[in-house]
Amino acid sequence: MDTTNDIAFMQLALEQARAAAALGEVPVGAVVVADGEVVACAHNRREVDLDPAAHAEFLALSKAAEVLGRWRLSDCTVYVTLEPCLMCAGLMLQARIARCVFGASDPKAGALGTLYSVHEDSRLNHSFIVEPGVCAKESAQLLSSFFAQLRAG
């Protein structure tokens, strides 16, 4: 694990999360990296696009596939500020990613170690490395602040 690069790429994902918050979206951001280069960035857009699949990592993986001209993203790492849900973890499996680095764990929907561990389920046809907790405090603070503002009205 290259901690320096992981933190730098997670900072880009956090910028995406802040962009989501500015739109009134749950502040989750994602960045896809191949060969040390950013291939795609995205943030949550469910409310704006009225699309239940418009999660940050889902959008970023779709963009990465388009940019790279292939659906197999086996040389890619996905950086995401919140632990992916089942849908997004499933897409990572389908895309055959190499690695996922995430910030805050998700006790209500986390599928990469908290509620489920789909990345290492031997019944599935692919597995990938997961590095949790990179910039976790900053990721969690963004989410906490967003939901506190929502509750305050």
Side-chain angles (χ1 to χ4, degrees):
M1 176 173 102
D2 182 349
T3 307
T4 304
N5 282 341
D6 284 347
I7 291 169
F9 290 129
M10 188 60 79
Q11 288 299 317
L12 295 175
L14 284 160
E15 287 177 23
Q16 289 292 313
R18 287 188 279 276
L23 293 174
E25 296 279 351
V26 175
V28 178
V31 173
V32 179
V33 173
D35 298 321
E37 299 292 325
V38 174
V39 177
C41 298
H43 53 75
N44 273 3
R45 294 187 52 91
R46 288 191 309 173
E47 301 298 330
V48 172
D49 293 348
L50 303 175
D51 181 355
H55 290 203
E57 53 271 62
F58 203 101
L59 296 170
L61 282 164
S62 292
K63 284 181 191 175
E66 184 179 336
V67 166
L68 295 171
R70 55 189 162 86
W71 67 267
R72 289 181 194 267
L73 304 177
S74 54
D75 58 339
C76 292
T77 297
V78 178
Y79 293 86
V80 60
T81 57
L82 180 64
E83 181 181 1
C85 68
L86 275 170
M87 176 182 72
C88 294
L91 183 62
M92 291 176 188
L93 285 167
Q94 293 300 316
R96 313 292 199 267
I97 70 160
R99 190 167 166 251
C100 177
V101 177
F102 70 82
S105 294
D106 188 347
K108 294 184 179 180
L112 297 183
T114 300
L115 296 179
Y116 307 97
S117 296
V118 298
H119 63 291
E120 60 186 13
D121 188 325
S122 62
R123 297 169 296 177
L124 301 173
N125 66 344
H126 179 68
S127 62
F128 56 91
I129 297 165
V130 171
E131 304 282 352
V134 175
C135 301
K137 287 182 184 176
E138 196 172 349
S139 297
Q141 182 58 47
L142 264 176
L143 289 158
S144 295
S145 297
F146 176 80
F147 287 112
Q149 282 184 317
L150 267 185
R151 285 189 296 274

